[in-house]
Amino acid sequence: MTTGLPPAWAAFLTDWDRSLRSGNYPPTTRYNYLLGVAQLGRYLADEASQLDAGEAASTPTAVTRRHIEAFQAWMVQTRSAATALNKHKALQQFFKWLALDEEEIAQSPMLRVRQPKTPVKLIPIIRDGDTKKLLDNCKGKDFVQVRDEAIIRLLSNTGARLSEVANVQLGDVDLSLDTVRYHGKGAKDRRVRVGPKTARAVSRYLRARASHRGFGLPDLWLAARGAQRLSANGIKLMLKRRGQRAGVSDVHAHRWRHTYAHEWKLAGGDTGDLMLVLGWSSEDMPRHYGASAAAERAQQVQARMGIGERV
């Protein structure tokens, strides 16, 4: 990631990565943080003459608010507002570290940089009929079909994040209690119950897994070939393929997470319990998840209450 960056930028990135690792930040978070800073460094090098950023192109300690705002505007124009927001958050953390931990700058250039406004994107829930089409596409007894059914049922049944399902270890599965332990964001583990159909699918997969070349690996999910784990990206691609074959568009793991929240609210479940089950610490999350089906829930509540129909 530091290839082509000036020595000072590369050195600070390397030191910051060490700091993030010592803080037990997840690999995905570290990657996104470091990528955002590296992109800023390369942008300033390319635009040094136009932005009067000669010194800033050489070292991040010379970066100013004006440089950040130009980079952010460029991200909005060439990528998207959502991507620019992700870079904004990464740069906030980097310059905070540079100011407070390393004391290399007096204050962060991010102090008065506004976050880019992003449009609210409502992620549609995935209906039972579409989930059934995907599961029907997995029917069979070979290793891949049994594995894919277990993964889809686990996503649907627990509403877990893609990374959480991908990182399940053999020791996290307890079929005597029908539970799975997830390793969530911020090193927060939680154990969730699975239903009978999901438990049966996982059990069938474990039997198939026992004769796989990679059976000795600690990871629950194995790739079809070779003794290697199935990564989160591998699951992502699998879901896309299954969706294409089953005639279901836009299949990704997060849709089941939104569906889980929607179904929970529809059944009158407690918000605090939902936060525990899905591994949330912010109360903003229950309002965001399942928002695309909020009108449907409101209409069902309205019909159930029967206001104006009792006279």
Side-chain angles (χ1 to χ4, degrees):
M1 194 177 291
T2 60
T3 301
L5 286 174
W9 279 90
F12 278 121
L13 268 180
T14 301
D15 289 345
W16 190 38
D17 184 38
R18 186 183 305 109
S19 178
L20 293 173
R21 283 188 279 113
S22 71
N24 198 30
Y25 281 75
T28 302
T29 300
R30 285 186 8 243
Y31 173 81
N32 288 331
Y33 278 0
L34 295 167
L35 178 62
V37 177
Q39 287 174 320
L40 172 63
R42 292 191 175 91
Y43 171 77
L44 293 176
D46 292 340
E47 304 294 331
S49 59
Q50 294 188 25
L51 295 174
D52 190 21
E55 190 178 357
S58 299
T59 174
T61 59
V63 172
T64 67
R65 173 187 174 185
R66 185 168 62 87
H67 299 144
I68 300 289
E69 288 178 337
F71 171 70
Q72 195 163 282
W74 176 73
M75 272 289 168
V76 171
Q77 183 179 17
T78 60
R79 272 73 165 186
S80 68
T83 300
L85 178 60
N86 287 335
K87 306 307 175 184
H88 179 99
K89 293 177 179 178
L91 295 176
Q92 273 187 325
Q93 296 302 315
F94 174 69
F95 286 107
K96 179 181 177 182
W97 169 80
L98 210 57
L100 301 182
D101 292 25
E102 298 301 297
E103 298 181 345
E104 290 282 350
I105 54 178
Q107 66 178 22
S108 168
M110 299 294 297
L111 284 179
R112 289 182 295 277
V113 178
R114 294 182 179 180
Q115 288 189 357
K117 292 184 178 180
T118 58
V120 177
K121 184 178 180 181
L122 296 179
I123 297 180
I125 62 173
I126 187 164
R127 303 290 177 178
D128 287 348
D130 285 339
T131 298
K132 185 178 185 303
K133 289 179 182 177
L134 293 167
L135 291 172
D136 286 345
N137 187 255
C138 297
K139 283 186 176 179
K141 295 186 178 181
D142 67 41
F143 177 81
V144 170
Q145 290 171 309
V146 171
R147 181 201 65 189
D148 293 356
E149 178 184 353
I151 292 173
I152 291 171
R153 285 198 178 276
L154 204 56
L155 287 167
S156 174
N157 189 211
T158 66
R161 301 176 179 95
L162 172 62
S163 60
E164 292 172 341
V165 171
N167 292 329
V168 171
Q169 305 284 288
L170 273 176
D172 296 328
V173 179
D174 187 344
L175 291 182
S176 64
L177 298 175
D178 287 348
T179 63
V180 173
R181 181 172 62 237
Y182 288 131
H183 307 285
K185 289 185 176 180
K188 295 176 183 176
D189 287 4
R190 70 185 187 281
R191 187 167 284 279
V192 301
R193 295 192 65 84
V194 298
K197 291 182 179 179
T198 301
R200 184 166 62 249
V202 172
S203 181
R204 289 181 64 207
Y205 167 69
L206 289 174
R207 292 199 304 269
R209 186 187 184 284
S211 58
H212 191 279
R213 284 183 59 188
F215 75 96
L217 294 174
D219 309 279
L220 176 61
W221 309 114
L222 302 178
R225 298 177 181 177
Q228 55 185 342
R229 68 185 292 267
L230 179 67
S231 67
N233 191 56
I235 294 177
K236 183 178 179 180
L237 293 174
M238 177 275 287
L239 293 174
K240 184 177 180 180
R241 286 195 303 270
R242 290 292 181 190
Q244 290 172 344
R245 294 171 186 171
V248 180
S249 62
D250 195 26
V251 177
H252 55 84
H254 232 55
R255 288 185 64 186
W256 280 294
R257 193 164 173 81
H258 281 262
T259 301
Y260 194 99
H262 166 65
E263 294 287 350
W264 186 284
K265 293 174 184 178
L266 197 59
D270 181 76
T271 299
D273 290 342
L274 176 63
M275 291 177 65
L276 289 173
V277 170
L278 293 186
W280 290 329
S281 55
S282 170
E283 294 185 358
D284 291 334
M285 302 311 289
R287 288 190 289 272
H288 171 64
Y289 278 76
S292 63
E296 177 182 325
R297 291 195 300 277
Q299 290 168 4
Q300 292 197 27
V301 170
Q302 179 189 23
R304 187 169 66 247
M305 293 175 70
I307 297 173
E309 293 291 322
R310 294 186 298 273
V311 292

